Amino acid sequence: MAKVSPSILSADFVNLERDIRALVPAGADYVHVDVMDGEFVPNITIGIPVTAAIRRVSELPLDVHLMIDRPIRYVEDFCKAGADILTLHVEADTAENTRAALEKIRALGVRPALSLKPRTPAEAVLPFLPLCDLILVMTVEPGFGGQKFMADMLPKIRTIRGWIDRFRPGCELEVDGGVNLETAELCKQAGADVLVAGSAWFKSPDPAAFAHALKHSELNV
Ligand code: DX5
Ligand code: ZN
């Protein structure tokens, strides 16, 4: 059974507390927090104070996805703000700084994670796999919710699943972008164990039924 991590990028920001408190009864496993800086991606979303505020209203693990340049500058702040999983992008800095940032996250007692954009080959994460507790495969270009799932990312999910099973069992494999009931099934078949869902979750008239179907999904749901 997969875990589900609703992306609050698609929540109603005026009613963020209401939307976050509704996640537990609906069956969410994590809260996915998308942080964008207007440099690494062409959008600006939320940062450290909002992450800390979310921490105060949820017991769920905070799954913080940093889409920012040179994330090493901010990993300590996000750990202190309450991240439980802190994901940075492999494209966002040098290999040396990426390694140092992942080690720093671990030292602060938070689960380090690494993401890769659609055009980045799977091989880019391999040297860092021993340092990671989660790998996040982007199935849309990062920056915006509501985009179409890129099915050509499925071989990458399968490849990384194989590496995790061989070299880093226990590391989670998360998929982010365009996940709905249909694409979730493809992701799970390819080996994903955590599914991020933004627009599909928050547009659903019945998130509890949606979450149940996503986790246990059958294509005919
Ligand atoms: C995109 C973000 C995603 C986004 C997913 O850059 O990383 O987490 O919110 O939204 P949907 O599920 O609508 O594609
Ligand atoms: Zn995300």
Side-chain angles (χ1 to χ4, degrees), residues 56-134:
R56 291 199 296 274
V57 296
S58 186
E59 297 294 310
L60 285 174
L62 294 193
D63 167 27
V64 179
H65 179 190
L66 298 182
M67 286 160 276
I68 66 175
D69 268 339
R70 291 177 291 135
I72 193 165
R73 298 174 294 160
Y74 294 106
V75 295
E76 188 166 355
D77 291 330
F78 280 99
C79 289
K80 287 187 176 152
D84 295 282
I85 300 165
L86 189 57
T87 303
L88 33 111
H89 266 266
V90 70
E91 308 88 355
D93 208 335
T94 62
E96 191 185 355
N97 283 348
T98 298
R99 178 171 293 273
L102 293 168
E103 285 169 347
K104 193 167 179 177
I105 295 166
R106 169 95 50 206
L108 289 162
V110 174
R111 298 172 64 197
L114 197 59
S115 183
L116 67 176
K117 290 180 176 183
R119 279 190 280 261
T120 303
E123 286 71 19
V125 300
L126 193 51
F128 304 102
L129 195 52
L131 301 173
C132 293
D133 285 356
L134 178 147

Side-chain angles (χ1 to χ4, degrees), residues 37-209:
D37 67 352
E39 292 287 339
F40 184 74
V41 288
N43 195 7
I44 300 177
T45 53
I46 64 177
I48 298 152
V50 176
T51 303
I54 294 167
R55 171 77 294 158
R56 291 199 296 274
V57 296
S58 186
E59 297 294 310
L60 285 174
L62 294 193
D63 167 27
V64 179
H65 179 190
L66 298 182
M67 286 160 276
I68 66 175
D69 268 339
R70 291 177 291 135
I72 193 165
R73 298 174 294 160
Y74 294 106
V75 295
E76 188 166 355
D77 291 330
F78 280 99
C79 289
K80 287 187 176 152
D84 295 282
I85 300 165
L86 189 57
T87 303
L88 33 111
H89 266 266
V90 70
E91 308 88 355
D93 208 335
T94 62
E96 191 185 355
N97 283 348
T98 298
R99 178 171 293 273
L102 293 168
E103 285 169 347
K104 193 167 179 177
I105 295 166
R106 169 95 50 206
L108 289 162
V110 174
R111 298 172 64 197
L114 197 59
S115 183
L116 67 176
K117 290 180 176 183
R119 279 190 280 261
T120 303
E123 286 71 19
V125 300
L126 193 51
F128 304 102
L129 195 52
L131 301 173
C132 293
D133 285 356
L134 178 147
I135 300 290
L136 169 54
V137 176
M138 290 302 305
T139 44
V140 298
E141 280 301 332
F144 301 92
Q147 303 181 75
K148 191 174 180 298
F149 180 83
M150 298 168 72
D152 52 347
M153 294 298 109
L154 291 168
K156 188 193 280 188
I157 299 169
R158 273 193 289 271
T159 298
I160 296 176
R161 173 81 266 158
W163 292 339
I164 288 174
D165 290 345
R166 278 173 67 194
F167 305 124
R168 186 75 178 154
C171 179
E172 291 189 302
L173 180 54
E174 183 174 54
V175 173
D176 183 8
V179 173
N180 55 34
L181 290 185
E182 221 168 288
T183 59
E185 188 61 30
L186 302 174
C187 293
K188 290 199 295 184
Q189 283 167 4
D193 38 34
V194 185
L195 306 166
V196 176
S199 45
W201 178 286
F202 285 98
K203 277 188 188 154
S204 168
D206 185 349

